[in-house]
């Protein structure tokens, strides 16, 4: 006769409930942050505009002053501006306007430093450096652990000529903050990951990852894969 399964304890039920709801909660927090951020960008313009339309004909357009309606319009307006910026970046007229804007920003002392650094980092992440792979693993914070990093520049050591790489190591789950490490090229472990694959790995805390990854650096004398 089959024995009945033991009743789960309150502790196990609580842990199971937390593990079930935690991914949903984290997804909601991230989506809420993104939507609030997008809506706050356009809200100062969209809010007064919708209020003016509603005042002109309250019976027909009174619903435009509802908070959720203004938030939806603000998000849509921000997304439209982002998509329009992407389209403009691909045409000659848009590229001319962007160059004009960059020249304008460069005349503002603090803004020029922030914008120039951010622009240069994004440009670097879209191109592969000479002599090494873009996405690598490095010994960080110590030799028995690896961290995913992005090679932003390859330099040479003064006096010896040894190749050194500037590696940006982003944090999880927010890759916009991180560490900058200078690592000998021969100490890095090259990967065949794209920047998008590495970002998915970092943001998901390792949940989105391939079945196998390299860990040890290539043998001395073996050139890293291009």
């Amino acid at each position: 006769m089959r024995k009945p399964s033991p009743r789960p304890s309150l502790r196990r039920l609580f842990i199971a409930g937390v593990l079930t709801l935690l991914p949903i909660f984290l997804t909601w927090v991230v989506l809420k942050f993104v939507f609030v951020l997008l809506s706050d960008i356009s809200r100062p313009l969209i809010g007064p505009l919708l209020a003016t339309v509603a005042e002109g004909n309250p019976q027909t357009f009174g619903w435009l002053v509802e908070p959720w309606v203004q938030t939806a319009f603000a998000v849509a307006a921000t997304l439209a501006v982002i998509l329009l910026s992407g389209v403009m970046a691909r045409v000659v007229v848009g590229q001319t306007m962007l160059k004009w804007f960059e020249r304008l920003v460069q005349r503002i002392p603090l803004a020029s430093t922030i914008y120039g650094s951010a622009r240069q980092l994004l440009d670097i992440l879209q191109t592969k450096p000479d002599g090494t792979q873009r996405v690598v693993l490095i010994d960080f914070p110590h030799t028995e652990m690896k961290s995913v990093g992005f090679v932003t520049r390859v330099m040479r050591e003064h006096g010896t000529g040894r190749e050194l790489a500037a590696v940006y190591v982003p944090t999880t789950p927010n890759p916009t903050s991180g560490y900058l490490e200078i690592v000998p090229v021969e100490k890095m472990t090259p990967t065949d990951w794209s920047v998008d694959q590495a970002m998915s790995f970092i943001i998901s805390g390792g949940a989105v990852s391939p079945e196998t990854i390299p860990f040890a650096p290539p043998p001395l004398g073996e050139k890293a894969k291009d």
Side-chain angles (χ1 to χ4, degrees):
M1 183 176 179
R2 186 176 179 180
K3 296 181 179 181
S5 58
R7 295 179 59 183
S9 63
L10 290 177
R11 178 173 176 270
R12 290 191 175 185
L13 289 175
F14 179 80
I15 294 176
V18 170
L19 294 178
T20 301
L21 295 177
L22 186 58
I24 300 175
F25 174 74
L26 291 177
T27 302
W28 163 250
V29 169
V30 173
L31 290 178
K32 181 180 179 181
F33 171 77
V34 172
F35 276 97
V36 170
L37 179 64
L38 292 176
S39 63
D40 286 347
I41 295 174
S42 299
R43 191 184 298 273
L45 296 176
I46 296 299
L49 178 62
L50 294 180
T52 301
V53 174
E55 290 176 359
N57 193 341
Q59 294 182 350
T60 305
F61 299 108
W63 54 275
L64 291 177
V65 297
E66 295 292 333
W68 69 269
V69 174
Q70 294 192 1
T71 299
F73 272 92
V75 171
T78 303
L79 291 177
V81 171
I82 293 174
L83 293 175
L84 180 61
S85 300
V87 173
M88 291 179 61
R90 293 179 174 271
V91 298
V92 177
V93 176
Q95 292 176 357
T96 303
M97 294 181 63
L98 290 175
K99 290 180 180 179
W100 174 82
F101 175 76
E102 290 178 352
R103 288 195 297 267
L104 179 63
V105 172
Q106 288 174 358
R107 297 183 179 182
I108 306 174
L110 181 59
S112 62
T113 302
I114 299 174
Y115 179 83
S117 300
R119 181 73 268 170
Q120 187 174 8
L121 177 60
L122 293 176
D123 291 340
I124 287 173
L125 290 179
Q126 295 178 18
T127 60
K128 193 168 87 170
D130 295 332
T132 189
Q133 187 75 20
R134 164 62 60 208
V135 182
V136 297
L137 303 180
I138 65 170
D139 296 331
F140 183 80
H142 59 76
T143 56
E144 296 301 320
M145 299 177 67
K146 297 287 186 181
S147 292
V148 178
F150 300 100
V151 177
T152 58
R153 184 178 177 84
V154 177
M155 306 163 287
R156 292 193 178 273
E157 183 180 13
H158 178 72
T160 66
R162 180 173 62 160
E163 283 190 320
L164 304 173
V167 183
Y168 173 67
V169 181
T171 55
T172 299
N174 178 17
T176 59
S177 63
Y179 305 91
L180 177 63
E181 306 292 329
I182 299 178
V183 185
V185 169
E186 67 271 13
K187 297 291 186 180
M188 300 187 307
T189 302
T191 72
D192 58 357
W193 293 1
S194 66
V195 173
D196 291 341
Q197 289 173 323
M199 282 296 186
S200 298
F201 180 78
I202 293 166
I203 294 173
S204 68
V208 180
S209 64
E211 293 295 329
T212 60
I213 63 172
F215 192 82
L220 293 177
E222 181 179 327
K223 188 177 180 181
K225 295 180 182 180
D226 290 333

